[in-house]
Amino acid sequence: MSGPLVVLVGPMGVGKSSVGELLAARLGTTYRDTDADVVAEAGKPIAEIFYDEGEEHFRALERRAVAAAVAEHSGVLSLGGGAVLEGTTRELLADRPVVYLSMNVDEAVRRVGLGAARPLLAVNPRKQWRELMDARRHLYEEVARTVVPTDGRTPEEVAQAIIDALELPEGPAAPGVENTGMTQQGTTRIQVAGTAGSDPYEVLVGHQLLGELPQLIGDRAKRVAVLHPEALAETGEAVRQDLADQGYEAIAIQLPNAEEAKTVEVAAYCWKALGQTGFTRSDVIVGVGGGATTDVAGFVAASWLRGVRWIAVPTTVLGMVDAAVGGKTGINTAEGKNLVGAFHPPAGVLCDLAALDSLPVHDYVSGMAEIIKAGFIADPVILDLIEADPEGARTPAGPHTAELIERSIRVKAEVVSSDLKESGLREILNYGHTLGHAIEKNERYKWRHGAAVSIGMVFAAELGRLAGRLDDATADRHRTVLESVGLPLAYRGDQWPKLLENMKVDKKSRGDLLRFIVLDGIGKPTVLEGPDPAVLLAAYGEVSA
Ligand SMILES: NC(=O)c1ccc[n+]([C@@H]2O[C@H](COP(=O)([O-])OP(=O)(O)OC[C@H]3O[C@@H](n4cnc5c(N)ncnc54)[C@H](O)[C@@H]3O)[C@@H](O)[C@H]2O)c1
Ligand SMILES: O=C(O)C(=O)C[C@@H](O)[C@H](O)[C@H](O)COP(=O)(O)O
C-alpha cells in the first residue's frame, strides 16, 4: 500500500510537529502536517476558522486535507488533534502505520499552558483537557498501530521510540526539502505555528540564505527598509543593494551597536526614516543584526502604521537561538529592560551561520547562555554536547555549532508556537532573566545580555535548591557548564538592594509579588511565586562576588 511512511496522531501540543520533523530527517524523507494544509487552504489560522465559520466547517476542511495527504504523501504525516473524530478519516487510516503520541493531562496543561491560542481550550484548561482526552483517547487507540508515550521525553527520544516500534529503516537526510532536520550542509527549516491570530512562519538555518529574502518580502511590497547595526554597515549595505537590484525601493537605516539601539530615540529615528520614504502597510522591514537590532526592527515594524511585516536576519548566536524567534520585540527604558514593546512575530527568520564567523568571541559566548538555558529548561542533550567539548562550544567552527543552534531554536519554536503572548508556558523562556535583567539595568545596559542571564541562571538554580525543589547535582551543573564556556557566575554582593528594586518591574511580577522561573529538575521548569525574602537573599549570597 503506498502512502505515508508514518502517520502521527494525538492531542494538540503533544509535539507531533517537532517529533515529525525529526523523524522525517532521520528517515531521509519529508514531513507534512494537515493543520498547515488547512491553514494554507483557508488562508487564515485555525483559531480564526473556528471563530469565523465554526468547528463543523473546520472539520470538513480537515477531512479533505487528510484524504489528500494520505493519498499523496509518502513521508511522515501528522494529523490535527481532532482529525480522528471523523469516521471517514478513521476508515482511511485502517492498516496504515499510525502512531498515537500520548501524554497525561498534567503534561498537556504544562505544554499548552492556558491554551489561549488553541480554539478548544480557551477556558479552564485542566478540566477541558480531561474531557477532551476522555472523548478522544479510544479513537486514537482505535486507529493506532502503536502508542508512544511522550511524558518526560525529548522529541529525539520519542522519534527513536517510533523508529524502534515500527522497525523503520533510517535513510540519508534529503537536503533542501521541507523540514530536513539537523544537517551541517542542507538548510534546516523549523516551523513556528501561527497563534493568537498571527501567521505561521519558518526559521531557516544554513548558509547563503539571503536569496530567500525576496520570496519572504513578496510582490506586494514596494519599499524595504534594512535596519542594521553600525558593526554590520557593509553587510547592511550589501543586503540593501541586493534588494534594490531585485527592484525594491530599498533603504538602509543604521542603528547604534548593541543596547544603545534599544531606545525610544532610535525607534523615533527609524519612524522618521520610514515616514520620509513613504513606507506603507504593504512594505517590509528587514532586521539584520544581533538581538538588539532585531528587537528594535520588530518593534518599529509593530508600531509603524500599527503593524507592518518584518523579517529577521539574526547575525549573532543569541539572535538566532532566541531574540529573532517568537515575536517579542521592544526597547529598554531608564526604568527597566524591554519595558516597552509588542508581540509581533516576523514573517520569517533567516539564520545564516556564516554570519557568526565575524562575531567577537565574547558576543559568541554571550549567546551560549541562552543555548544553555534551552538545555536546562527543555533539552538536556544540549548540555551533554557542550560538556563533551566546551572549547568547541565557544566558536562557530565547533563540531556541534549547527546542532546546538537548531536544538535551541526548536525549544523556543515549540514554546512560542503554543503561547505567543506569554499567558503561561512561555514564561519558562525567562529562566535566569529576572535577576539577569536587573543586572543589565544596574549596569546601564553596558553588559551583554547573555552574561547577565548566566548569573541569573546560577541565582535561579540556587533559589530552586534553597526552596527545596532542585537537587544539588543539577544546581551545581549550572556553574560547571556556564563556566566551562567562559560565562560569569557572580556579581557584586553590595548591589542586592538595587537589584531587588529593579526586579519589581519584571514582567512576570503581579502586584507586589515577585515570580521566578525555577527548576524541579532538568527539563522541568516551574514558577516560584513570592519566595521568602530571606531565601532570596541567601540565594543571592551564593552568586555574590
Ligand atoms: N526578543 C526576544 O525574545 C529576545 C530574546 C533574547 C534576547 N533578546 C535581546 O537581545 C539582545 C542581545 O542580543 P545579542 O546578544 O545578539 O547582542 P547585540 O545585538 O547587542 O549584538 C552584540 C554586538 O555584536 C555586533 N554584531 C552583531 N552581529 C555581528 C556579526 N555577525 N559580526 C560582528 N559583530 C556583530 C552588534 O553590533 C553588537 O555590537 C538584548 O537586548 C536582549 O534583551 C531578545
Ligand atoms: O522569548 C521569551 O519569552 C523570553 O523570555 C526569551 C528571553 O531570553 C528574552 O531575553 C526576552 O527578551 C525576555 O523577555 P522579557 O519579556 O522578560 O523582557
Side-chain angles (χ1 to χ4, degrees), residues 257-259 262 290-292 295 315-316 322-323 328 337 355 358 412:
N257 287 324
E259 295 296 308
K262 288 181 63 169
D295 273 10
T315 59
T316 61
D322 199 348
K328 264 192 186 176
K337 177 87 179 169
S358 60
K412 178 133 195 194

Side-chain angles (χ1 to χ4, degrees), residues 229-232 255-259 262 288-295 314-320 322-330 332 337-338 354-360 362-363 366-367 370 373 412 426 433 437 440 448-450:
E230 203 180 331
L232 295 182
L255 312 182
N257 287 324
E259 295 296 308
K262 288 181 63 169
V288 182
T293 304
T294 52
D295 273 10
T315 59
T316 61
V317 174
L318 193 142
M320 292 180 188
D322 199 348
V325 183
K328 264 192 186 176
T329 72
N332 307 323
K337 177 87 179 169
N338 299 340
L356 302 179
D357 292 343
S358 60
L359 197 60
H362 72 278
D363 281 311
S366 164
E370 298 287 15
K373 176 192 80 179
K412 178 133 195 194
R426 186 169 183 163
H433 283 62
H437 281 173
E440 285 191 82
R448 284 294 185 256
H449 178 68

Side-chain angles (χ1 to χ4, degrees), residues 475-494:
D476 292 343
R477 196 174 178 191
H478 283 69
R479 292 178 185 274
T480 49
V481 71
L482 290 162
E483 193 171 34
S484 75
V485 296
L487 282 161
L489 309 179
Y491 190 63
R492 292 186 286 158
D494 60 349

